[in-house]
Amino acid sequence: MKIKLQKVHYMPKQLESGVLYVSYEFGTAAHLCACGCGAKIRTPLGPTEWSIEETSEGPSLWPSIGNWQQVCKSHYVIDHGEILWADRWSDKQIAAGRKQEQMRREAYYEAMHINREGVLAKLLRWIKHFFI
């Protein structure tokens, strides 16, 4: 199945198969599950979430889409408008993947916080490191 990109301001109520809807204004993308089950899949866009690349062959959405909360539990990547199927994950793999996602988010926001700190705050944090 070939996926095409459609930019929208608001997400339509009815999604069409084979279309990746993207609202850059609201930082979100949506499509119907690639397995054909009809589930609406929403993916937030951002530095700690999914990213979209527009190419002449079609859109790419990264990282993979793991529909763990859907009955189908399908797992795939949209790459240059093509669906690339990935292995189905066990409950243990899903839990580990979610933990890694949370750790990445925390590291990203911690780095943002540290980069915004002033010199005095960085010095105090460094000193506290020796006493904790």
Side-chain angles (χ1 to χ4, degrees), residues 3-24 26-34 38-45 50 52 59 61 65 67 76 78:
I3 303 289
K4 67 178 183 176
L5 179 72
Q6 184 171 340
K7 295 178 189 176
V8 296
H9 183 70
Y10 298 111
M11 290 297 164
K13 290 183 187 212
Q14 297 295 321
L15 304 181
E16 291 181 35
S17 181
V19 179
L20 177 64
Y21 299 89
V22 178
S23 172
Y24 287 110
F26 292 102
T28 189
H31 67 284
L32 292 177
C33 184
K40 290 181 182 178
I41 308 303
R42 299 189 188 281
T43 48
L45 305 176
W50 280 264
I52 297 251
L61 183 63
I65 296 131
N67 297 325
Y76 53 90
I78 300 174

Side-chain angles (χ1 to χ4, degrees), residues 34-85:
C35 81
C37 71
K40 290 181 182 178
I41 308 303
R42 299 189 188 281
T43 48
L45 305 176
T48 63
E49 303 298 336
W50 280 264
S51 62
I52 297 251
E53 180 185 3
E54 296 180 42
T55 70
S56 59
E57 296 89 16
S60 293
L61 183 63
W62 185 259
S64 65
I65 296 131
N67 297 325
W68 316 130
Q69 296 175 342
Q70 303 298 326
V71 174
C72 67
K73 297 201 183 311
S74 60
H75 185 204
Y76 53 90
V77 172
I78 300 174
D79 183 42
H80 294 89
E82 297 291 333
I83 300 297
L84 303 179
W85 291 99

